[in-house]
Amino acid sequence: MVDPEDEEVRFDEMTDEMASYFNREKEPKILITTSDKPHTKTNRFCKELSRVIPNCQFLFRRKASMKNMVKQAAVLGYTDAIVVNEDRRRPSIYLYLCSHFL
């Protein structure tokens, strides 16, 4: 066990850049997007996913690079991003980017 009175532990907790996120001091705002040129099934899945997850929005990539999407998401105030990829025209891989990357 770690002693909660340990100076090193207290310093780590004070300087943790993710603390506000995990302590829920800031409400998450989630962006959902897809791979480039997604199939209709993938778009439908993403729209449904955005209805289930609170404070979430689905945006089409429109041939934008992931690097630009992440930068734009940060500018718009998103704290997290979910990228839905597809395999054989079906949604398959979900990549979750937390606020540390945005």
Side-chain angles (χ1 to χ4, degrees), residues 47-82:
K47 287 177 187 175
E48 198 64 35
L49 191 62
S50 69
R51 291 182 190 128
V52 174
I53 300 173
N55 206 20
C56 183
Q57 185 176 9
F58 170 58
L59 294 176
F60 293 100
R61 271 184 62 188
R62 295 192 173 104
K63 297 184 181 180
S65 70
M66 273 313 299
K67 187 175 184 177
N68 290 340
M69 282 293 289
V70 169
K71 283 181 183 178
Q72 188 64 26
V75 168
L76 294 173
Y78 287 97
T79 58
D80 305 275
I82 299 173

Side-chain angles (χ1 to χ4, degrees), residues 3-4 29 32 35 38 43 47-48 73 95 98:
D3 182 22
K29 185 177 177 185
I32 296 178
S35 57
N43 284 335
K47 287 177 187 175
E48 198 64 35
L95 174 64
C98 69

Side-chain angles (χ1 to χ4, degrees), residues 30-52:
I30 303 168
L31 168 72
I32 296 178
T33 191
T34 62
S35 57
D36 210 13
K37 298 180 183 177
H39 190 263
T40 309
K41 292 178 185 178
T42 304
N43 284 335
R44 204 173 313 136
F45 172 76
C46 289
K47 287 177 187 175
E48 198 64 35
L49 191 62
S50 69
R51 291 182 190 128
V52 174

